[in-house]
Amino acid sequence: MKREPANIKQVAEKAGVSMMTVSRVINDSGKVAQETREKVLKAIKECHYYPNSIARGLASNKTNIIGIVIYDSGRLRHNMFYEMINGIERIASEFGYNIMLFSYREGEDYSERIVESGLIDGVILMGITINYEDIRYLEKIGFPYVVIGKRNIDDLNPYTVVLDYEEAFQRATQFLIDSGERKIGFAGVARGFDPDLDKLTGYQEAFNHSGLFCDPENIIYFDGIGNKKGYGDIARLYERGVRTFVLTDCGRMRETLEFASIHKLCIPGDLKICIFNDEKMDISDILRLASLTDRGGGYMVPQIEMNRFNVGQEAGKLLLARIENKKDMCRTVKVSLDFIYEAPAE
């Protein structure tokens, strides 16, 4: 049998207070004794009362809605966003906010439309091809925003949540060096793409920290999608005696596995790899990697992984702090990546 939604009068009667007191508790306005507040909150829970967010917005001049703009929704894999959105939604719901999704269309005067509509209290921007003019506009008018991903914009230090690629790739490369490896290839860096440059910096810092020469000839630059250049570069470094590779994404992993499969190379006997599992490997990738990996000694390929859910949570926290005008906020929040490695069985 369908339950009729409770109203504020029923909550007030159950708590033994006035409707005005219930309203003050809901909107966190005015002075209410702690004991009375707890009685009202208990009554709200027992009555299954859900305050009308529109009415609350009219009273507080807020909508209690967070906007999320996805700039690459038609071009990138869905798992680039879903876990982040789940993280944002978790934090938003904890603080009494809902989320509203927007899909960006190129050339649209986007920032003005979503801001002037009055639909949202703040916005999170995500995607590779974010329009920097949107960020400039939001900064100029002082509208709360957060960008997921590092952005270098002239004369502007935007509010961002970034993955600490530099620290993760330094840690992974240092692990390989500490394991006795000296010739370590790095594939592949997209010039002008900040995350890849941070990964490269981490790789280089591990060599510097160990007092070793970082051979620039062992670095593979990759400027393109869907070509065979990466495979050819892996082959070139292999011919130069490189047997260990740090791979910056699943695309480079597939090229390396293809090379290993064609040349009947075993992992880690003939080839050692450390991969950045940025796309959550699908079953075909997992099976191919397993077929080339010797697990007899308990070996597991070292992997760097991102926690997208955590990224979304941190973006939600930073945005809500901005909406509430909290003091002493950092403009950049760094989120660590996981480095996973299982040592061989003794």
Side-chain angles (χ1 to χ4, degrees), residues 174 177-178 181-182 184 204 206-215:
Q174 190 66 55
I177 291 173
D178 292 343
E181 303 301 325
R182 293 297 179 267
I184 304 173
Q204 293 170 326
F207 279 90
N208 294 336
H209 177 76
S210 302
L212 300 173
F213 172 63
C214 183
D215 191 343

Side-chain angles (χ1 to χ4, degrees), residues 6-26:
N7 56 47
I8 194 170
K9 182 179 179 182
Q10 291 170 312
V11 172
E13 290 174 351
K14 185 152 187 86
V17 299
S18 68
M19 289 190 290
M20 180 62 73
T21 300
V22 175
S23 178
R24 285 174 178 165
V25 172
I26 292 171

Side-chain angles (χ1 to χ4, degrees), residues 98-207:
N98 295 309
I99 63 173
M100 181 178 292
L101 297 179
F102 299 86
S103 181
Y104 179 79
R105 293 195 298 271
E106 189 173 355
E108 185 176 11
D109 195 359
Y110 205 68
S111 54
E112 292 188 27
R113 181 170 72 83
I114 63 173
V115 172
E116 294 180 359
S117 67
L119 292 172
I120 59 176
D121 296 329
V123 63
I124 295 174
L125 313 176
M126 63 174 70
I128 293 176
T129 59
I130 289 176
N131 186 342
Y132 284 7
E133 291 307 309
D134 286 345
I135 300 175
R136 290 183 184 281
Y137 175 77
L138 294 170
E139 181 77 26
K140 179 181 178 181
I141 66 172
F143 190 78
Y145 75 91
V146 170
V147 183
I148 294 180
K150 185 177 179 181
R151 309 289 157 177
N152 289 326
I153 304 175
D154 293 339
D155 304 320
L156 179 62
N157 180 22
Y159 289 90
T160 56
V161 171
V162 301
L163 286 156
D164 198 348
Y165 292 113
E166 185 175 320
E167 187 275 336
F169 277 80
Q170 179 178 5
R171 186 161 27 126
T173 307
Q174 190 66 55
F175 168 81
L176 296 172
I177 291 173
D178 292 343
S179 300
E181 303 301 325
R182 293 297 179 267
K183 277 192 171 184
I184 304 173
F186 188 83
V189 183
R191 294 176 177 87
F193 184 46
D194 288 333
D196 275 10
L197 296 177
D198 285 348
K199 296 170 192 175
L200 176 60
T201 299
Y203 163 82
Q204 293 170 326
E205 285 180 351
F207 279 90

